[in-house]
Amino acid sequence: MINHFILFSLLLGVTMASTKNRNDQIIYHLSMPEPHTHYFHVSMELKAVTESTVRLKMPVWTPGSYLVREFSRNVPRVTAFAGDEPLTVEKTSKNEWQVALDGHSDLLVEYRVYAYEQSVRTSFLNDSRGYVNGASVFIYPEGMENEPGELKVRPFNKWHTISTGLEKIPGKRQTYRFANYDILVDSPILIGNHKVLKFTVDGTQHEIALYGEGSVYENKLVDDVQKIVEATRGIFGGFPYDRYVFLFLLLDGARGGLEHLNSTTIQVDRWAFTDEKKYRGFLSTVAHEFFHTWNVKRIRPIALGPFDYTKENYTKDLWIAEGLTSYYDNLILLRSGIIDEKGYFDFLSKDIKNVETFPGRLVQSATEASFDAWIKYYRRNEESPNTQISYYSKGAVVGLLLDLAILEHTAGEKSLDDVFRQLNESHSDDPKKGYTSDEFRQTCESVAGRSLQDVWRHADTTEEVDYGGAFETFGVEFVKGYSEGRSEKTPYYGFETRGDSNPVVKTVFSGTPAYESGVNVNDEIVAVDDVRVSSQSLNDHLERSRIGEAVTLLITREGLMRSLQIVPVGSPPDLINLKKIVEASSEQRQRFEWWLRVPWKE
């Protein structure tokens, strides 16, 4: 049993010296004495409170990931004390507690947080490391969000390394300061025995906190990340931070990243580093999250800061925040020399394919996808391909069209880079200011020197994109094609299956023969034209049929057998290829070099 009076006295004594010349009213203590239980222990010391009650709140979401995640579900109980006297704590809503001070002005709040969800958006603790995403761990007192404070971290006794973007307090062991709650929440923490690699660019320190075993070559990793940092710095002209921390978690089959003010967390498959395609995908994620240091963390839609952590923060501009970042991530790899133009075209083709091969592009616009992110993007189901698009991929397409339009109209004198530089300068004048949709578009048109309505319609509507016309001007051929073994003569049905042995329908695309014939998700396909099939043999049987001739599927649906008749059509293209036009004009070649900043080579 904890003696709360002794603990409170010790905490107060420890902090008095450090706060003598400061006005910190909030001091958090984070410990993990039994990591195998997956519980972080948190105490929060509040001083000189003048109100009779304190309202405590916990975020329901984390910035950068637009979904209400209900973090308070992982907090079993909140208690509070003034010295050794327990205070009354009443839970007043799903994520709020009210503490009656009973005449006291100083109090200690204590709680535990269950952390066992492996993602960059949540927190995780086991016997190998602890990872803290602040929004999922730190409760805050209402009305004190802008107060400065301190965080004291007490690692498990077998762990010796702490990596975070928070500023360490000189002379105080494992203690960090934050200017306000936003900074605390925006500074993830990795605790364990991981490696720390360092490099410097323009005198600014960068750290790579590397957790986990894998096929990583440390020197190459540092070299490639440094190239990404240097190429991105070239766009903005400098760094908005004194130190930056990359938190890389090497885990089985993992992926994903989340941006922060002066750090990022990225999960990656531990064996990706010796697979060229996977490694390039990882570096694309690194470039993406690092570009967010400016686009989102400094240059942001007005709805994304200051945050309301208790509910959704709606914006129609995630296609700018995430989509234009998705346009730049692979462009940065090209500029840094990590990939060549062919590698870049491979990435760009994938972004375009992620838009063009899904019926949802005809239903949902980029601005609609942005606004509905809270209820749709992270809650995809079997119908999502038919009704949704990704604001990442469609935003990247609009970013491409925007960049090409600016380059063409200014004869290569200006580009999308200039838009971001101008917005960055504007932000520097007033860091608390976000942009409205109109302000962003006006900045783009000011740089371009003309109306860009022909670009904006691709953000606001579901109008089809003329890729061929856009690329041809820049000496690039846009060709739809087929993967190996496929052609327009290959029978097409319009559904996809899952399952290692028995094929089960996982997706039915709208407007296809399968959709019109009534094939349902979760139908198990037993036979094709009276021939028993497996997951391995299904496609062979389907492709032996003839276009325009009915095929009979024997399926089980909810335990009952039934037959369906489907008439296949010719397959639509399933590949997108970008390549230089063989007999490009001198003007096309020049525009190509404006865009990609690499010399035209035959």
Side-chain angles (χ1 to χ4, degrees):
M1 179 68 68
I2 298 174
N3 187 316
H4 299 284
F5 177 75
I6 294 176
L7 176 59
F8 184 81
S9 299
L10 287 173
L11 295 178
L12 186 59
V14 167
T15 57
M16 280 182 62
S18 65
T19 59
K20 187 178 294 183
N21 298 319
R22 295 178 52 135
N23 190 34
D24 294 343
Q25 289 182 279
I26 307 173
I27 301 172
Y28 290 92
H29 296 256
L30 176 72
S31 63
M32 52 226 73
E34 299 176 304
H36 66 280
T37 67
H38 317 301
Y39 274 100
F40 284 110
H41 293 220
V42 185
S43 62
M44 175 174 58
E45 184 183 351
L46 302 179
K47 300 183 298 180
V49 179
T50 58
E51 291 80 7
S52 59
T53 61
V54 173
R55 294 183 65 84
L56 305 175
K57 294 185 176 182
M58 190 165 204
V60 302
W61 69 288
T62 187
S65 182
Y66 308 102
L67 175 70
V68 171
R69 297 183 183 276
E70 311 293 20
F71 293 127
S72 58
R73 63 191 171 88
N74 293 317
V75 177
R77 188 178 183 187
V78 174
T79 57
F81 302 86
D84 61 351
E85 180 181 339
L87 299 176
T88 301
V89 179
E90 179 185 3
K91 191 167 188 179
T92 55
S93 74
K94 65 180 182 180
N95 66 318
E96 297 184 9
W97 299 261
Q98 184 169 287
V99 183
L101 294 182
D102 297 333
H104 299 283
S105 60
D106 296 347
L107 70 151
L108 183 70
V109 177
E110 293 182 337
Y111 59 96
R112 297 184 303 150
V113 181
Y114 185 73
Y116 201 51
E117 184 175 347
Q118 189 75 270
S119 83
V120 298
R121 312 170 188 97
T122 52
S123 294
F124 184 88
L125 178 65
N126 71 0
D127 59 3
S128 68
R129 85 279 188 191
Y131 173 75
V132 173
N133 179 309
S136 66
V137 168
F138 297 116
I139 290 174
Y140 65 92
E142 184 182 51
M144 299 177 70
E145 296 93 324
N146 293 319
E147 295 294 331
E150 295 182 4
L151 169 65
K152 171 72 174 182
V153 180
R154 181 178 294 177
F156 178 54
N157 57 25
K158 294 182 180 180
W159 298 344
H160 310 291
T161 306
I162 301 172
S163 293
T164 179
L166 286 170
E167 178 187 358
K168 196 172 187 305
I169 299 178
K172 297 195 67 178
R173 189 167 180 267
Q174 300 166 337
T175 304
Y176 305 83
R177 64 166 54 101
F178 53 89
N180 51 51
Y181 183 74
D182 286 339
I183 299 297
L184 175 65
V185 165
D186 210 16
S187 304
I189 309 165
L190 179 62
I191 309 146
N193 293 319
H194 52 274
K195 294 181 180 180
V196 178
L197 313 174
K198 298 181 180 181
F199 64 91
T200 301
V201 176
D202 289 347
T204 301
Q205 181 174 303
H206 296 77
E207 300 175 9
I208 296 175
L210 192 62
Y211 166 81
E213 300 297 326
S215 56
V216 62
Y217 296 102
E218 295 177 8
N219 290 341
K220 178 172 175 53
L221 175 64
V222 171
D223 183 59
D224 287 338
V225 173
Q226 183 169 340
K227 288 177 181 177
I228 289 170
V229 170
E230 290 171 345
T232 311
R233 182 271 321 267
I235 298 172
F236 296 98
F239 299 120
Y241 50 77
D242 296 322
R243 183 175 65 94
Y244 192 93
V245 180
F246 295 91
L247 304 176
F248 294 158
L249 306 180
L250 280 58
L251 305 165
D252 285 333
R255 56 176 297 182
L258 190 64
E259 72 275 5
H260 298 281
L261 192 65
N262 66 335
S263 63
T264 182
T265 301
I266 297 175
Q267 293 185 348
V268 57
D269 185 288
R270 65 174 77 250
W271 309 116
F273 300 89
T274 50
D275 182 309
E276 184 177 2
K277 184 176 180 180
K278 290 182 179 179
Y279 182 58
R280 286 183 174 184
F282 161 70
L283 291 178
S284 176
T285 302
V286 174
H288 182 101
E289 303 305 337
F290 188 66
F291 192 82
H292 273 319
T293 306
W294 290 268
N295 190 31
V296 167
K297 302 315 298 184
R298 271 84 182 175
I299 305 164
R300 64 181 182 275
I302 197 167
L304 299 184
F307 300 110
D308 185 338
Y309 293 100
T310 66
K311 63 181 182 181
E312 297 87 345
N313 291 222
Y314 292 102
T315 175
K316 293 183 178 181
D317 293 329
L318 290 181
W319 72 267
I320 302 171
E322 292 292 355
L324 298 196
T325 301
S326 293
Y327 171 62
Y328 266 98
D329 50 26
N330 300 315
L331 200 57
I332 287 170
L333 295 190
L334 176 65
R335 292 182 184 181
S336 67
I338 292 174
I339 61 175
D340 58 15
E341 62 189 56
K342 182 183 182 305
Y344 175 67
F345 285 157
D346 288 343
F347 274 119
L348 187 55
S349 296
K350 182 179 178 182
D351 280 331
I352 296 173
K353 180 180 177 181
N354 285 341
V355 175
E356 293 302 309
T357 55
F358 292 106
R361 75 185 188 282
L362 303 175
V363 177
Q364 187 182 53
S365 70
T367 52
E368 291 170 335
S370 300
F371 193 82
D372 277 346
W374 296 93
I375 58 172
K376 291 186 177 181
Y377 185 77
Y378 293 95
R379 291 174 171 163
R380 297 176 67 81
N381 62 21
E382 63 277 357
E383 182 64 4
S384 295
N386 294 326
T387 59
Q388 295 177 228
I389 57 152
S390 163
Y391 48 79
Y392 287 84
S393 297
K394 185 60 181 291
V397 166
V398 179
L400 164 72
L401 299 175
L402 181 57
D403 198 15
L404 298 184
I406 295 173
L407 284 163
E408 183 178 6
H409 194 74
T410 63
E413 293 295 320
K414 300 287 185 180
S415 71
L416 191 53
D417 286 13
D418 294 279
V419 172
F420 278 108
R421 278 193 285 268
Q422 188 167 319
L423 289 169
N424 191 47
E425 290 173 5
S426 174
H427 172 85
S428 298
D429 294 336
D430 185 2
K432 295 183 179 180
K433 180 183 178 182
Y435 60 75
T436 65
S437 298
D438 287 343
E439 287 170 341
F440 174 82
R441 298 184 185 202
Q442 288 165 7
T443 300
C444 293
E445 294 184 345
S446 174
V447 170
R450 73 167 176 89
S451 169
L452 293 169
Q453 188 55 43
D454 55 331
V455 176
W456 306 139
R457 71 172 186 261
H458 291 300
D460 299 332
T461 74
T462 58
E463 182 178 327
E464 296 278 45
V465 177
D466 177 15
Y467 294 99
F471 281 117
E472 184 179 359
T473 303
F474 286 79
V476 175
E477 186 178 8
F478 174 84
V479 180
K480 290 185 177 181
Y482 293 87
S483 54
E484 185 176 356
R486 296 182 63 83
S487 72
E488 70 277 5
K489 296 181 179 180
T490 303
Y492 176 71
Y493 295 83
F495 66 88
E496 295 178 347
T497 61
R498 66 177 187 273
D500 295 330
S501 54
N502 301 325
V504 176
V505 177
K506 68 174 183 179
T507 307
V508 181
F509 296 105
S510 60
T512 66
Y515 191 89
E516 301 301 330
S517 298
V519 175
N520 286 188
V521 169
N522 296 327
D523 286 350
E524 180 183 342
I525 301 175
V526 179
V528 175
D529 286 340
D530 297 327
V531 177
R532 185 77 166 90
V533 295
S534 65
S535 293
Q536 291 72 34
S537 65
L538 174 63
N539 284 338
D540 289 339
H541 283 285
L542 292 177
E543 291 180 3
R544 279 198 290 266
S545 61
R546 294 184 179 181
I547 295 171
E549 295 185 6
V551 171
T552 300
L553 297 186
L554 178 64
I555 67 166
T556 63
R557 179 181 297 168
E558 298 181 335
L560 302 178
M561 306 291 287
R562 63 185 302 177
S563 294
L564 296 175
Q565 296 280 317
I566 304 182
V567 179
V569 296
S571 287
D574 63 340
L575 285 183
I576 289 172
N577 295 308
L578 299 174
K579 57 184 179 180
K580 290 188 293 188
I581 296 173
V582 175
E583 297 182 356
S585 67
S586 58
E587 291 81 5
Q588 288 172 316
R589 297 181 183 195
Q590 185 178 51
R591 292 191 186 100
F592 177 92
E593 293 180 352
W594 291 344
W595 172 32
L596 299 183
R597 303 184 185 185
V598 295
W600 180 282
K601 296 180 180 179
E602 296 296 340

PDB file of all heavy atoms in Angstrom, residues 296-313:
ATOM      1  N   VAL A 296       1.423  20.233 -41.576  1.00  0.00           N
ATOM      2  CA  VAL A 296       0.537  19.742 -40.516  1.00  0.00           C
ATOM      3  C   VAL A 296       0.988  20.276 -39.163  1.00  0.00           C
ATOM      4  O   VAL A 296       0.208  20.879 -38.441  1.00  0.00           O
ATOM      5  CB  VAL A 296       0.408  18.208 -40.430  1.00  0.00           C
ATOM      6  CG1 VAL A 296      -0.274  17.786 -39.126  1.00  0.00           C
ATOM      7  CG2 VAL A 296      -0.417  17.665 -41.586  1.00  0.00           C
ATOM      8  N   LYS A 297       2.269  20.061 -38.819  1.00  0.00           N
ATOM      9  CA  LYS A 297       2.697  20.488 -37.488  1.00  0.00           C
ATOM     10  C   LYS A 297       2.956  21.992 -37.420  1.00  0.00           C
ATOM     11  O   LYS A 297       2.888  22.582 -36.353  1.00  0.00           O
ATOM     12  CB  LYS A 297       3.950  19.734 -37.045  1.00  0.00           C
ATOM     13  CG  LYS A 297       3.809  18.226 -37.002  1.00  0.00           C
ATOM     14  CD  LYS A 297       2.520  17.752 -36.362  1.00  0.00           C
ATOM     15  CE  LYS A 297       2.353  18.138 -34.909  1.00  0.00           C
ATOM     16  NZ  LYS A 297       1.121  17.551 -34.323  1.00  0.00           N
ATOM     17  N   ARG A 298       3.254  22.648 -38.545  1.00  0.00           N
ATOM     18  CA  ARG A 298       3.392  24.103 -38.584  1.00  0.00           C
ATOM     19  C   ARG A 298       2.372  24.728 -39.539  1.00  0.00           C
ATOM     20  O   ARG A 298       1.660  25.650 -39.165  1.00  0.00           O
ATOM     21  CB  ARG A 298       4.812  24.513 -39.012  1.00  0.00           C
ATOM     22  CG  ARG A 298       5.786  24.651 -37.862  1.00  0.00           C
ATOM     23  CD  ARG A 298       6.396  23.318 -37.483  1.00  0.00           C
ATOM     24  NE  ARG A 298       7.297  23.416 -36.337  1.00  0.00           N
ATOM     25  CZ  ARG A 298       7.872  22.368 -35.763  1.00  0.00           C
ATOM     26  NH1 ARG A 298       7.640  21.143 -36.224  1.00  0.00           N
ATOM     27  NH2 ARG A 298       8.664  22.529 -34.717  1.00  0.00           N
ATOM     28  N   ILE A 299       2.340  24.198 -40.754  1.00  0.00           N
ATOM     29  CA  ILE A 299       1.375  24.668 -41.756  1.00  0.00           C
ATOM     30  C   ILE A 299       0.171  23.739 -41.662  1.00  0.00           C
ATOM     31  O   ILE A 299       0.283  22.563 -42.002  1.00  0.00           O
ATOM     32  CB  ILE A 299       1.995  24.593 -43.166  1.00  0.00           C
ATOM     33  CG1 ILE A 299       3.310  25.365 -43.227  1.00  0.00           C
ATOM     34  CG2 ILE A 299       1.016  25.097 -44.208  1.00  0.00           C
ATOM     35  CD1 ILE A 299       4.155  25.020 -44.453  1.00  0.00           C
ATOM     36  N   ARG A 300      -0.954  24.221 -41.217  1.00  0.00           N
ATOM     37  CA  ARG A 300      -2.049  23.292 -40.920  1.00  0.00           C
ATOM     38  C   ARG A 300      -3.414  23.907 -41.218  1.00  0.00           C
ATOM     39  O   ARG A 300      -3.598  25.125 -41.155  1.00  0.00           O
ATOM     40  CB  ARG A 300      -2.005  22.885 -39.451  1.00  0.00           C
ATOM     41  CG  ARG A 300      -2.242  24.050 -38.508  1.00  0.00           C
ATOM     42  CD  ARG A 300      -2.162  23.637 -37.050  1.00  0.00           C
ATOM     43  NE  ARG A 300      -2.435  24.753 -36.166  1.00  0.00           N
ATOM     44  CZ  ARG A 300      -1.536  25.644 -35.771  1.00  0.00           C
ATOM     45  NH1 ARG A 300      -0.294  25.555 -36.204  1.00  0.00           N
ATOM     46  NH2 ARG A 300      -1.871  26.635 -34.973  1.00  0.00           N
ATOM     47  N   PRO A 301      -4.388  23.064 -41.520  1.00  0.00           N
ATOM     48  CA  PRO A 301      -5.771  23.540 -41.596  1.00  0.00           C
ATOM     49  C   PRO A 301      -6.176  24.163 -40.262  1.00  0.00           C
ATOM     50  O   PRO A 301      -5.749  23.703 -39.196  1.00  0.00           O
ATOM     51  CB  PRO A 301      -6.567  22.268 -41.885  1.00  0.00           C
ATOM     52  CG  PRO A 301      -5.587  21.335 -42.519  1.00  0.00           C
ATOM     53  CD  PRO A 301      -4.275  21.633 -41.845  1.00  0.00           C
ATOM     54  N   ILE A 302      -6.986  25.179 -40.314  1.00  0.00           N
ATOM     55  CA  ILE A 302      -7.333  25.938 -39.116  1.00  0.00           C
ATOM     56  C   ILE A 302      -7.999  25.071 -38.053  1.00  0.00           C
ATOM     57  O   ILE A 302      -7.919  25.357 -36.856  1.00  0.00           O
ATOM     58  CB  ILE A 302      -8.232  27.139 -39.502  1.00  0.00           C
ATOM     59  CG1 ILE A 302      -8.270  28.165 -38.363  1.00  0.00           C
ATOM     60  CG2 ILE A 302      -9.632  26.667 -39.909  1.00  0.00           C
ATOM     61  CD1 ILE A 302      -8.866  29.495 -38.791  1.00  0.00           C
ATOM     62  N   ALA A 303      -8.650  23.986 -38.466  1.00  0.00           N
ATOM     63  CA  ALA A 303      -9.334  23.107 -37.508  1.00  0.00           C
ATOM     64  C   ALA A 303      -8.361  22.258 -36.699  1.00  0.00           C
ATOM     65  O   ALA A 303      -8.730  21.708 -35.659  1.00  0.00           O
ATOM     66  CB  ALA A 303     -10.313  22.202 -38.236  1.00  0.00           C
ATOM     67  N   LEU A 304      -7.125  22.147 -37.159  1.00  0.00           N
ATOM     68  CA  LEU A 304      -6.167  21.231 -36.521  1.00  0.00           C
ATOM     69  C   LEU A 304      -5.199  21.981 -35.606  1.00  0.00           C
ATOM     70  O   LEU A 304      -3.990  21.835 -35.688  1.00  0.00           O
ATOM     71  CB  LEU A 304      -5.417  20.430 -37.582  1.00  0.00           C
ATOM     72  CG  LEU A 304      -6.283  19.553 -38.477  1.00  0.00           C
ATOM     73  CD1 LEU A 304      -5.426  18.747 -39.425  1.00  0.00           C
ATOM     74  CD2 LEU A 304      -7.161  18.622 -37.635  1.00  0.00           C
ATOM     75  N   GLY A 305      -5.727  22.774 -34.736  1.00  0.00           N
ATOM     76  CA  GLY A 305      -4.913  23.450 -33.738  1.00  0.00           C
ATOM     77  C   GLY A 305      -5.360  24.893 -33.562  1.00  0.00           C
ATOM     78  O   GLY A 305      -5.547  25.586 -34.554  1.00  0.00           O
ATOM     79  N   PRO A 306      -5.541  25.303 -32.258  1.00  0.00           N
ATOM     80  CA  PRO A 306      -5.459  24.450 -31.060  1.00  0.00           C
ATOM     81  C   PRO A 306      -6.523  23.353 -31.086  1.00  0.00           C
ATOM     82  O   PRO A 306      -7.603  23.538 -31.640  1.00  0.00           O
ATOM     83  CB  PRO A 306      -5.722  25.433 -29.913  1.00  0.00           C
ATOM     84  CG  PRO A 306      -5.450  26.791 -30.488  1.00  0.00           C
ATOM     85  CD  PRO A 306      -5.817  26.703 -31.933  1.00  0.00           C
ATOM     86  N   PHE A 307      -6.170  22.226 -30.494  1.00  0.00           N
ATOM     87  CA  PHE A 307      -7.044  21.053 -30.557  1.00  0.00           C
ATOM     88  C   PHE A 307      -8.110  21.058 -29.472  1.00  0.00           C
ATOM     89  O   PHE A 307      -7.896  21.527 -28.363  1.00  0.00           O
ATOM     90  CB  PHE A 307      -6.213  19.770 -30.402  1.00  0.00           C
ATOM     91  CG  PHE A 307      -5.170  19.585 -31.452  1.00  0.00           C
ATOM     92  CD1 PHE A 307      -3.832  19.697 -31.133  1.00  0.00           C
ATOM     93  CD2 PHE A 307      -5.518  19.285 -32.760  1.00  0.00           C
ATOM     94  CE1 PHE A 307      -2.855  19.522 -32.097  1.00  0.00           C
ATOM     95  CE2 PHE A 307      -4.548  19.109 -33.737  1.00  0.00           C
ATOM     96  CZ  PHE A 307      -3.217  19.229 -33.407  1.00  0.00           C
ATOM     97  N   ASP A 308      -9.244  20.489 -29.820  1.00  0.00           N
ATOM     98  CA  ASP A 308     -10.216  20.064 -28.823  1.00  0.00           C
ATOM     99  C   ASP A 308     -10.048  18.556 -28.716  1.00  0.00           C
ATOM    100  O   ASP A 308     -10.390  17.815 -29.629  1.00  0.00           O
ATOM    101  CB  ASP A 308     -11.636  20.419 -29.249  1.00  0.00           C
ATOM    102  CG  ASP A 308     -12.665  20.094 -28.174  1.00  0.00           C
ATOM    103  OD1 ASP A 308     -12.370  19.231 -27.305  1.00  0.00           O
ATOM    104  OD2 ASP A 308     -13.752  20.684 -28.199  1.00  0.00           O
ATOM    105  N   TYR A 309      -9.484  18.109 -27.593  1.00  0.00           N
ATOM    106  CA  TYR A 309      -9.170  16.687 -27.436  1.00  0.00           C
ATOM    107  C   TYR A 309     -10.380  15.850 -27.055  1.00  0.00           C
ATOM    108  O   TYR A 309     -10.278  14.630 -26.954  1.00  0.00           O
ATOM    109  CB  TYR A 309      -8.085  16.505 -26.373  1.00  0.00           C
ATOM    110  CG  TYR A 309      -6.740  17.071 -26.755  1.00  0.00           C
ATOM    111  CD1 TYR A 309      -6.317  18.305 -26.286  1.00  0.00           C
ATOM    112  CD2 TYR A 309      -5.886  16.358 -27.595  1.00  0.00           C
ATOM    113  CE1 TYR A 309      -5.080  18.829 -26.633  1.00  0.00           C
ATOM    114  CE2 TYR A 309      -4.654  16.869 -27.948  1.00  0.00           C
ATOM    115  CZ  TYR A 309      -4.252  18.106 -27.468  1.00  0.00           C
ATOM    116  OH  TYR A 309      -3.022  18.614 -27.818  1.00  0.00           O
ATOM    117  N   THR A 310     -11.522  16.494 -26.849  1.00  0.00           N
ATOM    118  CA  THR A 310     -12.684  15.766 -26.341  1.00  0.00           C
ATOM    119  C   THR A 310     -13.678  15.357 -27.420  1.00  0.00           C
ATOM    120  O   THR A 310     -14.656  14.673 -27.141  1.00  0.00           O
ATOM    121  CB  THR A 310     -13.436  16.618 -25.291  1.00  0.00           C
ATOM    122  OG1 THR A 310     -14.013  17.776 -25.931  1.00  0.00           O
ATOM    123  CG2 THR A 310     -12.503  17.057 -24.188  1.00  0.00           C
ATOM    124  N   LYS A 311     -13.435  15.777 -28.671  1.00  0.00           N
ATOM    125  CA  LYS A 311     -14.375  15.437 -29.738  1.00  0.00           C
ATOM    126  C   LYS A 311     -13.693  15.572 -31.087  1.00  0.00           C
ATOM    127  O   LYS A 311     -12.530  15.980 -31.178  1.00  0.00           O
ATOM    128  CB  LYS A 311     -15.595  16.352 -29.689  1.00  0.00           C
ATOM    129  CG  LYS A 311     -15.278  17.825 -29.921  1.00  0.00           C
ATOM    130  CD  LYS A 311     -16.539  18.675 -29.832  1.00  0.00           C
ATOM    131  CE  LYS A 311     -16.227  20.145 -30.115  1.00  0.00           C
ATOM    132  NZ  LYS A 311     -17.445  20.993 -30.017  1.00  0.00           N
ATOM    133  N   GLU A 312     -14.425  15.246 -32.147  1.00  0.00           N
ATOM    134  CA  GLU A 312     -13.897  15.347 -33.496  1.00  0.00           C
ATOM    135  C   GLU A 312     -13.550  16.800 -33.841  1.00  0.00           C
ATOM    136  O   GLU A 312     -14.247  17.720 -33.429  1.00  0.00           O
ATOM    137  CB  GLU A 312     -14.916  14.824 -34.515  1.00  0.00           C
ATOM    138  CG  GLU A 312     -15.263  13.357 -34.357  1.00  0.00           C
ATOM    139  CD  GLU A 312     -16.390  13.091 -33.380  1.00  0.00           C
ATOM    140  OE1 GLU A 312     -16.736  14.011 -32.586  1.00  0.00           O
ATOM    141  OE2 GLU A 312     -16.935  11.971 -33.394  1.00  0.00           O
ATOM    142  N   ASN A 313     -12.483  16.979 -34.612  1.00  0.00           N
ATOM    143  CA  ASN A 313     -12.083  18.293 -35.115  1.00  0.00           C
ATOM    144  C   ASN A 313     -12.189  18.234 -36.643  1.00  0.00           C
ATOM    145  O   ASN A 313     -11.272  17.776 -37.329  1.00  0.00           O
ATOM    146  CB  ASN A 313     -10.647  18.623 -34.701  1.00  0.00           C
ATOM    147  CG  ASN A 313     -10.492  18.864 -33.205  1.00  0.00           C
ATOM    148  OD1 ASN A 313      -9.806  19.775 -32.784  1.00  0.00           O
ATOM    149  ND2 ASN A 313     -11.124  18.031 -32.388  1.00  0.00           N
TER     150      ASN A 313
END
